[in-house]
Amino acid sequence: EAQVTQNPRYLITVTGKKLTVTCSQNMNHEYMSWYRQDPGLGLRQIYYSMNVEVTDKGDVPEGYKVSRKEKRNFPLILESPSPNQTSLYFCASSLGWQGRSGELFFGEGSRLTVL
Amino acid sequence: GDSVTQMEGPVTLSEEAFLTINCTYTATGYPSLFWYVQYPGEGLQLLLKATKADDKGSNKGFEATYRKETTSFHLEKGSVQVSDSAVYFCALGTSGGSYIPTFGRGTSLIVHP
């Protein structure tokens, strides 16, 4: 089954404790991206990657890091989480040209709470 | 820059009512337009799309037409069901050199039996 898998689905952590949210897709997609969803603000893109070793900032990259060492994986790293990073996070992927056009496949989301 | 404006929700309807969720956009170039749906506790799923002016996207009884003259992509369904209760996002694909799709803020739809 074609899917985008995120882990963990739920996480409660404390300020400053580094964490990683993993994302993996089994569709051989070139394009992968991370979004955060906040009430009243909709979806905002954090980072995206057009292919292995090619990443770039989205609209709200501050406080986040990413890496793309393999085509299927695109982890999101919070080096020193803060309470304003409490949010619902989505990973999404797409074939290259479709990612550019906006047709995305989303994971089920990771709800992060930073105390 | 590019932007998407959706009507604010929640939209509350009775089963079998007619649904319209308005979406307008501003963009450079000729982007594709999308509607995504997010059911409770799930990620977003593509509902329908249109890639050029006057295209009509349709799926599961939902329709939307790409209107370049009014820069709109309104979502419609003739008879909603309780199972349609979800959050609906209008989205603008990228154009030019940007690789960042633009999403609206989402409209919550609640359908009562």
Side-chain angles (χ1 to χ4, degrees):
Chain A
E1 180 188 354
Q3 59 187 2
V4 177
T5 304
Q6 298 178 223
N7 281 294
R9 295 287 313 280
Y10 302 91
L11 179 63
I12 300 174
T13 189
V14 295
T15 299
K17 186 175 181 181
K18 180 179 178 180
L19 68 92
T20 299
V21 186
T22 63
C23 174
S24 181
Q25 50 91 6
N26 63 0
M27 295 169 280
N28 201 35
H29 285 168
E30 290 91 357
Y31 182 99
M32 298 184 74
S33 59
W34 277 102
Y35 290 83
R36 59 178 291 174
Q37 183 179 18
D38 301 290
L41 297 177
L43 281 168
R44 295 179 292 168
Q45 192 181 65
I46 303 169
Y47 270 94
Y48 67 92
S49 169
M50 289 300 294
N51 214 324
V52 174
E53 302 291 0
V54 181
T55 63
D56 207 347
K57 297 176 181 178
D59 293 324
V60 288
E62 295 78 19
Y64 304 94
K65 286 176 59 177
V66 293
S67 68
R68 187 92 181 272
K69 293 184 169 54
E70 303 168 285
K71 196 172 186 180
R72 64 183 292 125
N73 296 323
F74 190 46
L76 179 69
I77 303 158
L78 285 73
E79 293 271 3
S80 182
S82 61
N84 65 12
Q85 292 178 298
T86 293
S87 187
L88 179 58
Y89 291 87
F90 288 100
C91 180
S93 74
S94 162
L95 290 174
W97 69 268
Q98 290 171 321
R100 180 173 175 170
S101 72
E103 185 170 355
L104 299 165
F105 292 81
F106 284 83
E108 293 189 326
S110 296
R111 185 166 293 281
L112 170 64
T113 302
V114 183
L115 301 175
Chain B
D2 295 352
S3 67
V4 174
T5 303
Q6 284 181 241
M7 61 189 293
E8 290 193 21
V11 173
T12 304
L13 295 172
S14 297
E15 207 164 22
E16 299 184 1
F18 184 86
L19 168 71
T20 300
I21 299 178
N22 291 337
C23 171
T24 58
Y25 67 91
T26 59
T28 55
Y30 303 96
S32 298
L33 299 174
F34 303 85
W35 277 101
Y36 285 85
V37 58
Q38 183 181 28
Y39 298 105
E42 298 184 10
L44 282 73
Q45 311 172 19
L46 180 67
L47 179 60
L48 54 84
K49 68 176 182 180
T51 58
K52 61 183 187 297
D54 299 324
D55 266 3
K56 178 186 282 187
S58 62
N59 186 24
K60 299 182 181 180
F62 292 89
E63 294 183 339
T65 302
Y66 190 159
R67 302 282 188 202
K68 190 167 178 292
E69 64 276 13
T70 55
T71 61
S72 65
F73 193 54
H74 304 322
L75 182 68
E76 297 181 335
K77 187 175 185 183
S79 176
V80 294
Q81 306 300 311
V82 172
S83 57
D84 293 327
S85 298
V87 180
Y88 293 82
F89 290 89
C90 185
L92 182 68
T94 60
S95 58
S98 169
Y99 292 89
I100 304 176
T102 303
F103 284 82
R105 294 188 176 187
T107 302
S108 175
L109 170 65
I110 301 169
V111 181
H112 294 294

